[in-house]
Amino acid sequence: TASASQTPSHSPSMAPGLRAELHRVEVDTADFVTVPFGITFDHPVVVCSVETDSTLDSQPLFTRIANCIAGPGGSFDVRVSTSDGSSVAGATVRCFAVEEGVYTEAEDGIKMEVHKYTSSVVDSKAAGYVGTVQTYSNSYTSPVVVGQVTTSNDDLFQVFWSSGSNHRSPADASG
């Protein structure tokens, strides 16, 4: 059977204007696990990461997100895969769900932006790590950029990556 955290948490340290929640999900099946939202999102964006556990396979593990549903009774599906596309059971996943939008310190108590982006670029070393330039709405000195591939249309290894002016540099203030 699949199980998921039924009580998402909203940390008191989160900014007061931020519509977000954290989930700890036990993925005890190789199938997708449905995770219900604890609050209603109009445009949810979910980012997940596998907790490191020495009892799991030594291959790199990554999450797959699918069926992110907004509105009352909303939810998302998550599963854990290896780089060869095999699903993994017995992993713990941490997820951050947040309302899409641009947040400012003055209005929301936090400066960040949350966007969905549909990419038509499948990048690789052979393709030269071209990527697609994105710009920020806020200004940042040293931004932290996180992302999530939210597709289940194939089992090939796919992960989000970000960079600065070249693929070896971290994201920078220019976007």
Side-chain angles (χ1 to χ4, degrees), residues 126-149:
Y129 296 117
V130 179
T132 305
V133 175
Q134 298 293 302
T135 58
Y136 307 124
S137 296
N138 289 322
S139 62
Y140 302 95
T141 305
S142 299
V144 175
V145 178
V146 296
Q148 178 74 53
V149 174

Side-chain angles (χ1 to χ4, degrees), residues 13-131:
S13 62
M14 282 192 201
L18 183 62
R19 290 183 53 208
E21 60 188 24
L22 302 169
H23 293 266
R24 184 174 190 267
V25 183
E26 301 297 330
V27 179
D28 58 5
T29 175
D31 296 324
F32 278 97
V33 173
T34 299
V35 182
F37 291 128
I39 62 176
T40 299
F41 290 101
D42 296 321
H43 304 281
V45 176
V46 179
V47 178
C48 296
S49 183
V50 179
E51 282 188 8
T52 303
D53 185 337
S54 61
T55 63
L56 294 174
D57 193 339
S58 61
Q59 287 192 62
L61 302 176
F62 65 100
T63 57
R64 294 273 192 176
I65 305 294
N67 303 320
C68 193
I69 300 169
S75 63
F76 65 95
D77 295 342
V78 62
R79 77 174 175 146
V80 178
S81 297
T82 62
S83 58
D84 68 5
S86 303
S87 293
V88 175
T92 301
V93 175
R94 299 282 181 156
C95 300
F96 180 57
V98 63
E99 185 68 31
E100 184 174 27
V102 177
Y103 296 86
T104 64
E105 287 184 67
E107 264 187 56
D108 308 299
I110 189 169
K111 182 167 67 168
M112 73 175 206
E113 39 202 279
V114 181
H115 300 286
K116 292 181 185 176
Y117 172 72
T118 301
S119 176
S120 59
V121 175
V122 177
D123 217 343
S124 67
K125 182 177 182 180
Y129 296 117
V130 179

